[in-house]
Structure formats: C-alpha cells, structure tokens
Amino acid sequence: MDLSQEASGLAAGGARQVALIGVQETDDPCSWERASQPWEVLAMPVGPGPFHNRKVFLATPNCILYRESFANLLRLRALSPEGMLALLVPVRSGSRTSYFNRPLQETGLPAMLPGATEAVLDVGQQHYMVLIRLTLLRRLLSGGQLERLEAAAGSHCCPASPALIGRIGRWLNGILRRTHGSPEMLQHPAAVQALERELVMGLAQALELPPGRERPSLSSARQRGFDRAIEHIRYADLTSLDTATLSVVAGVSPRTLEYAFRENLGLSPGAFVRQLRLHALRRELLASRLGKSSVTELAYHLGFTQLGRLAGDYRRVFGELPSATLARSFPGDAPSFWLGGTFPELSRARAA
C-alpha cells in the first residue's frame, strides 16, 4: 500500500465541507511530503527499514489536530504553515528524537511560529500536532495570554511537566475520538466553531506560561535575518532563487546568513535551496507518467542545468537515479488533509 485516506465531514446540505476528519497512511516518504500540506516538508529516512506514517486527523478552517506515528528513523527539515502557531505534544519518542537541533525536553513542548525547523524523529515516534491560525488566537485570547504564548513559541518551548504533557495528550485524544465517533457534528458550522474555541481555550488554560518571557530566538540580528530569508523562500520561485538574493533580502552579510542557516537547519543557504529543488524534482518525477515527461525536461523546468551532477546528488539523497523514480508506478497525487478551510470532496478509497 502506498497511500490511503479515509475522510468525511460535509457541511449541512452537502454544499461545502466545514471540517474534515480522516485516517491517512503512506509508506512512501515522497507521498508523505505531498500529503503533509500546509507544511513544506523535506523527509530523509535514515538507516534500514521501510518508511511508514499513519495520521489520524481533524481539520477545521482555523485549526488542525492530528496524531501521527513513524516506523523508522527520520530526519526532516520543514517550513511550518504560514500564519499558524504549531505545538507538538509527544506521546512516544526515543533518545535520538530532537527538535530545533536539541534533544526533546521532558519539561516542555516543542512549539514554533511560522518559520523553518530541523528535527530528528526516532523509530516508533508518536505525537500530537496542533496547528492554530494566529488570527483565531488573537480573537479568542487576552493580550497577556497571547503575548506569553507567542513568546514561548518564539523560544521553541512551552514549559510543561511530564504529567501535564500526559494530560494534554489524553485531552487531545478525546477530541479526536469524539469527532471521529460522531462525524455528524461536523455538518454544523456552530459545532465546528465550538471545537475550535475548545481547542484554543483548553490549551491556553492547560499551559502554565510564565509572564514576561522574552523571545531569544528573535532577539539577534542573525536570527532576524534567517527569518526574513525563510519568509522569502516560502514565496520565491525556486528555479531562480540564489543565495546572493537571499542575503540582500535578509539584510545581513552572506557569512552571517550562512551561520544562521547552519545554526537552525544544519545546512548552508545554498544547500537548503538545492534540497528544496531536489525534493520538488522527486515529486514531479513521481507524479509524471513514463513517456509523458523526461528527466531532462523536468530537471530543466526546475532550473537544473548540470545533469551529471544532478544525477549524483539525487542518488546520494534518494538512493536511486532520477530515471528510476520516473519509471516507478505512482497511484496519483496524494490528497492533503487540509486545504485552508476549503476542502475538495474526498471519496473513501484505499490504494492497493
């Protein structure tokens, strides 16, 4: 099985979907990348063993909640969703699990505002991910609550004891069980809005955020330059993006920007952009039918001109040549579990 998804959640009258619930599974990291929107993910399995991801999700116009698990060691780099705060609640992790280039802290929950991150997920990793639009947080929380939450996310850690992490995990699991057990509630906008409010206010009450936290991740010129560069990359045309432009946009010297990228992502700016382009090429190759497009054509389309070097780089990253990827059968574009609140109809189907 490559990818399967079961989803439901039509609005009253069937005219428009208010929310989605479903179970999504894939055994191909590229399919997982494609299905993980609104994240922009670069997945790199490490070591032996087949890749497998399972995601049980609830997605509303302003929030996404899912529990996911991984079968093998995975290193990833990602751009978090635009305009959303992300909070991760671990269920099971290993000694190799790390976020933001540091080991998973037992006394806190990894969190972030829109930006870039690097993480390592150990074999058997399980966690809940909560994504909430910043506009909803600003509407529901007091100024002090919002300031403390954004400060904690800016430092990449919301303080929480192991006991509190367990309670939050059980509460989030209850929300998933309730919505999956009674999908008819998702036919009513008022019920969906109540779920969103419950998620926001429940987290705000559960998290014990100290007042007056500063945001060290945003305090330095180096970090501010990195954030500006990542924001530019998010909207840039990857085929023409170059590091000189990034340095100008970031407002820092090339050397400072290099330090910032290595600090945050473990790569130089040029290497990160090349990784983005390599993963984009892999997705294009898998989505193209053999005989309809050539490796050369797709490579030129993404701005690669040195095809010999490309083949070597591609093989080092993905373990096969681009031609082998193009020749592989692919069941079709992987459905996303969230499309910004406007959901296409999804049939119940499993790809063999």
Side-chain angles (χ1 to χ4, degrees):
M1 179 184 69
D2 179 64
L3 185 141
S4 66
Q5 173 159 311
E6 294 183 0
S8 61
L10 293 174
R16 180 177 177 273
Q17 291 178 311
V18 177
L20 281 177
I21 56 172
V23 178
Q24 186 185 81
E25 295 192 57
T26 180
D27 55 16
D28 181 86
C30 187
S31 296
W32 179 65
E33 287 181 5
R34 296 171 71 89
S36 291
Q37 296 176 355
W39 291 91
E40 174 67 32
V41 179
L42 308 182
M44 290 153 280
V46 180
F51 175 88
H52 185 80
N53 171 263
R54 185 175 192 269
K55 187 183 278 94
V56 180
F57 65 87
L58 162 68
T60 72
N62 295 295
C63 304
I64 306 172
L65 165 63
Y66 56 88
R67 175 171 175 157
E68 67 177 340
S69 60
F70 295 87
N72 63 326
L73 183 64
L74 181 72
R75 181 170 186 173
L76 63 87
R77 295 181 176 92
L79 302 183
S80 65
E82 177 190 9
M84 303 188 88
L85 181 143
L87 180 71
L88 183 139
V89 181
V91 176
R92 179 189 302 163
S93 59
S95 60
R96 293 175 289 187
T97 296
S98 66
Y99 297 93
F100 310 107
N101 294 307
R102 62 193 188 209
L104 178 63
Q105 302 178 28
E106 293 183 1
T107 57
L109 301 173
M112 68 181 301
L113 296 169
T117 186
E118 187 266 358
V120 176
L121 308 183
D122 208 345
V123 177
Q125 168 91 4
Q126 293 185 32
H127 57 244
Y128 292 96
M129 181 64 73
V130 183
L131 298 164
I132 303 175
R133 283 192 192 274
L134 293 171
T135 51
L136 181 65
L137 292 173
R138 292 170 186 143
R139 189 163 72 241
L140 296 180
L141 298 183
S142 68
Q145 287 176 312
L146 179 63
E147 181 181 358
R148 291 193 293 273
L149 183 58
E150 288 188 332
S155 69
H156 293 161
C157 181
C158 287
S161 66
L164 178 57
I165 292 173
R167 288 198 297 273
I168 293 175
R170 290 189 291 273
W171 168 64
L172 294 175
N173 188 58
I175 293 177
L176 286 176
R177 289 175 62 89
R178 191 191 329 152
T179 52
H180 280 247
S182 302
E184 64 275 8
M185 75 172 68
L186 302 178
Q187 298 176 5
H188 304 281
V192 172
Q193 291 171 10
L195 283 169
E196 292 181 340
R197 173 179 286 273
E198 178 185 354
L199 194 58
V200 171
M201 301 311 294
L203 284 175
Q205 293 167 11
L207 295 173
E208 301 167 355
L209 299 174
R213 283 181 63 96
E214 295 182 356
R215 294 166 63 174
S217 67
L218 302 179
S219 61
S220 69
R222 180 187 297 180
Q223 186 63 40
R224 288 195 297 271
F226 173 79
D227 291 340
R228 286 192 289 265
I230 290 299
E231 191 67 10
H232 181 74
I233 288 172
R234 189 188 294 275
Y235 301 106
D237 179 359
L238 291 179
T239 64
S240 58
L241 187 61
D242 62 85
T243 54
T245 300
L246 274 185
S247 180
V248 171
V249 168
V252 296
S253 69
R255 178 173 293 184
T256 297
L257 190 62
E258 171 125 0
Y259 286 148
F261 267 78
R262 291 192 181 279
E263 209 169 58
N264 285 276
L265 295 173
L267 292 173
S268 69
F272 180 61
V273 170
R274 190 166 180 84
Q275 287 284 323
L276 285 170
R277 293 169 67 204
L278 282 172
H279 282 256
L281 175 60
R282 181 169 172 81
R283 292 194 288 265
E284 289 293 327
L285 289 168
L286 280 172
S288 299
R289 293 182 178 179
L290 188 61
K292 297 294 184 180
S293 300
S294 68
V295 171
T296 300
E297 179 184 3
L298 293 173
Y300 286 159
H301 176 71
L302 285 169
F304 292 103
T305 58
Q306 300 181 47
L307 299 186
R309 179 188 173 191
L310 168 63
D313 289 348
Y314 190 95
R315 187 169 191 169
R316 279 191 292 274
V317 173
F318 301 115
E320 64 183 16
L321 291 172
S323 56
T325 303
L326 181 61
R328 186 183 312 150
S329 62
F330 189 64
D333 197 10
S336 173
F337 60 85
W338 191 75
L339 292 174
T342 304
F343 303 106
E345 284 197 29
L346 293 172
S347 61
R348 292 181 180 271
R350 286 195 174 272

